[in-house]
Amino acid sequence: ATEPTIVETIKAESPKRPTTFGYQKFYAAELDKKHQDKSYRYFNNINRIAPKFPVAHTASHTEEVDVWCSNDYLGMSRNPVVLETMHRTLNQYGAGAGGTRNIAGNGQMHLALEEELATLHRKPAALVFSSCYVANDATLATLGAKLPGCVIFSDSMNHASMIQGIRHSGARKVIFKHNDTADLEQKLAQFPKETPKIIAFESVYSMCGSVGPIEKICDLAEEYGAITFLDEVHAVGMYGPTGAGVAEHLDFEAQQASAESSTPVKGSAMDRIDIITGTLGKAYGVVGGYIAGSTDLVDMIRSYAPGFIFTTSLPPANVAGAQASIAYQKTYMGDRRLQHINTRALKQKFDSLDIPVVPGPSHIVPVLVGDAGLAKAASDMLLVDHGIYVQSINYPTVAVGEERLRITPTPGHTMEQMDHIVGAITEVFDTLGIKRRADWVKEGGRAGVGAMASKEAERMAPVWTDKQLGLLDGTAPKTLCSTKGDRAIVDLKALAEAQRRFDVTLGKAGFNPVKDTTISPVMGHTLAHGVNVLHPDFQVPTYLAAQA
């Protein structure tokens, strides 16, 4: 054998260097856990096409699918007044905000949006954040940390943003059973009345479609000395005569009678809530989040919350588009009425075929699958074989064994698209052997499905009544029918009202589509009332067309 070289001898005699942590191996192991328990998240390439809403194309521009799971509940992301306002703001004020709200990023568009939001909820003030995740996190974290000895009572099904905010606050957390006010009261009673308390809950719980008992929680808050924190993310734009959410909807007639006023309706559910949070990225079709409350509460969060202070503010075009969307929906109820009418119709179709839908009074249609692998397979089959995009919802978003397909009808879905998804899901259930409601009844029920033998006993009365939807007096909007050439409606009164918000900042939007060709090609050239530019895929309501 040859003698070792001097270099080899030195290496052999030198102390071994400690090995570093196996970062890449750790990453791979964590991902493997996700694959093993079927909770790994897959992100489909879905590109929603504004002129064809609710249609999108996949990675291939020639492959189009019907989207049935978007949170763009009302199609406002393609509403002409939103697009036109954003285009004009972009040309006037540029792409970005230029800094934080404290440094160069606090413009008149931001202030006007906050005033619009405060008026919407009839609160003294509002504050806009980059998202409602940030709004919830920042507000709960700041309040929980600042209030001395604060205890936060959190619904067991609260959104991750609220859970994270409570965790960041360092405050004591008490979880109460979902929508169980008896359990909440029993836990509130354990603390002195003078102890600062926050009850954090939601109006519409987005994965199951349940609705929070707002009025009863307000009663408990008053009795036990707590303040209320209500997340209306999945309700703003969707409920109430002006779209302010479920809290407004609970006093529908009183709120509607004074819709032109920003003065609170005393004693109403919305008036009793201390802090309301909402999003600009779902029913309003843009991006951002906000809180609304008392002047000092909002100013305190503005002054102390890192999530607000140390981030670039939203671009002017985004906040202008959001304000236009809110103003439009304040004036026109037709979109949300039709959304809820379509939701009812879809639930009835599934019910007739024994497709298991988690019972709920809201606009969410959660179709129970009950297995993570089957939910993913069903989603894939709908997309590949039927041209329908519905995302599967698995743990940790929902509990293991309660996996589902979360369906969200819109006013833009047609009768034909509705029949298509019902037929496709029926076929997928048959092919994959997914349990129907009758199967869940035999097993004692799951996620509220089949817990009662009678379907009638399991059903919940919807938030929107027949009267509020216009079903009793014949004013209800009709589901679109593509074979009849129906197109979505733009309400000219609402459009003009939204445009008026920007007469000072952007100038009047009195385009003449015959002479003016500077409008974005996304916009159309139909003139009505002399001030409104309409999208080519929209039609004027007959009662307005007669006035044009």
Side-chain angles (χ1 to χ4, degrees), residues 347-418:
K347 285 182 177 181
Q348 288 166 1
K349 288 175 183 290
F350 283 143
D351 183 63
S352 68
L353 295 167
D354 210 34
I355 299 295
V357 174
V358 177
S362 72
H363 61 283
I364 310 294
V365 186
V367 173
L368 180 65
V369 176
D371 178 89
L374 284 176
K376 175 66 168 61
S379 176
D380 290 344
M381 190 173 292
L382 285 168
L383 185 67
V384 174
D385 296 343
H386 299 279
I388 292 172
Y389 174 51
V390 178
Q391 186 64 41
S392 59
I393 307 296
N394 297 338
Y395 177 82
T397 306
V398 295
V400 173
E402 296 186 4
E403 295 83 2
R404 62 199 62 181
L405 300 173
R406 177 183 178 271
I407 298 172
T408 54
T410 74
H413 283 102
T414 65
M415 293 179 182
E416 292 81 2
Q417 288 171 319
M418 207 175 295

Side-chain angles (χ1 to χ4, degrees), residues 86 93 131 165 257 267 281 291 386 429 487:
M86 293 183 73
Y93 294 109
S131 72
I291 64 170
H386 299 279
F429 264 58
R487 295 177 295 168

Side-chain angles (χ1 to χ4, degrees), residues 149-153 171-175 183-198 220 223-226:
C150 181
V151 181
I152 303 179
F153 297 81
R172 181 171 178 178
K173 176 176 68 174
V174 177
I175 300 173
D183 185 52
L184 172 60
E185 182 170 18
Q186 185 268 328
K187 287 169 177 171
L188 283 166
Q190 297 174 15
F191 297 87
K193 191 168 184 178
E194 63 268 20
T195 299
K197 309 173 194 70
I198 302 170
L220 292 175
E223 182 176 352
Y224 291 96

